[in-house]
Structure formats: structure tokens, C-alpha cells
Amino acid sequence: IAPGRNYVGRIDEEQMDWLKRDLAAVGSSRPVVISTHIPLVSAVLQEVQDPWAKRENYLITNSQEVLRVLEGHNVKAVLQGHTHICEEVIY
């Protein structure tokens, strides 16, 4: 839990294990769309003027680990919200 907030954006071990199993079952060629509330990748911290603007409140803190799990799969899009900012990130 982050001081002043009641959450930290993170994909926990149980969720990560589920994602790995699910992607293994799907295979590497089938198109995949990922949905997450808290963003994996965003420029939000460059834009937001919030005194509470801490990475752990706005972004998945272990997003690099998640992105490594997604490598080698046919991910077409990651739909994410939370920030109330419309942005397109090409990774």
C-alpha cells in the first residue's frame, strides 16, 4: 500500500502466472488484445499536475516484467485506462 493512497499498481505473482499460462495456451501466432485498468506504458507522469503523482499510483510498477511475458506473442493492442488521458503509445 502506498502512503496516502490505498493501492500500488502491480501485477502480482498469481496474475503473472495466469497470464503466462493463458498466453501459452493461445500460442504465439493468434492475435491477442490485453486489457488493464492501470497502464503498462504511458506518458501520464509528464502531463499530470497532481501532487500525489507517484509512479506506483499511475502505472503498473512491474510493467517491464509484464512486457517481457508478452514478447513473442502476437499482441495487437493493450487497452488501458485509469489516467483519463487519451494517448496512443506505439511500442
Side-chain angles (χ1 to χ4, degrees):
I1 295 182
R5 298 285 178 137
N6 60 0
Y7 65 90
V8 171
R10 180 168 180 77
I11 304 299
D12 65 24
E13 188 174 332
E14 182 180 353
Q15 292 169 316
M16 196 71 76
D17 289 343
W18 171 85
L19 180 60
K20 290 174 184 176
R21 286 190 314 273
D22 199 58
L23 288 172
V26 166
S28 61
S29 62
R30 182 178 292 170
V32 174
V33 174
I34 304 291
S35 178
T36 177
H37 179 75
I38 299 176
L40 291 173
V41 177
S42 176
V44 67
L45 293 178
Q46 294 175 325
E47 177 62 28
V48 74
Q49 300 297 318
D50 180 349
W52 291 99
K54 304 258 190 281
R55 187 179 191 287
E56 64 268 13
N57 298 135
Y58 280 90
L59 302 169
I60 298 293
T61 58
N62 60 336
S63 62
Q64 291 299 314
E65 182 181 351
V66 178
L67 293 172
R68 280 192 298 275
V69 169
L70 298 178
E71 285 178 2
H73 295 276
N74 191 11
V75 177
K76 297 296 187 182
V78 176
L79 306 175
Q80 51 192 34
H82 189 62
T83 63
H84 301 260
I85 293 174
C86 182
E87 66 179 330
E88 179 181 8
V89 178
I90 305 205
Y91 178 80

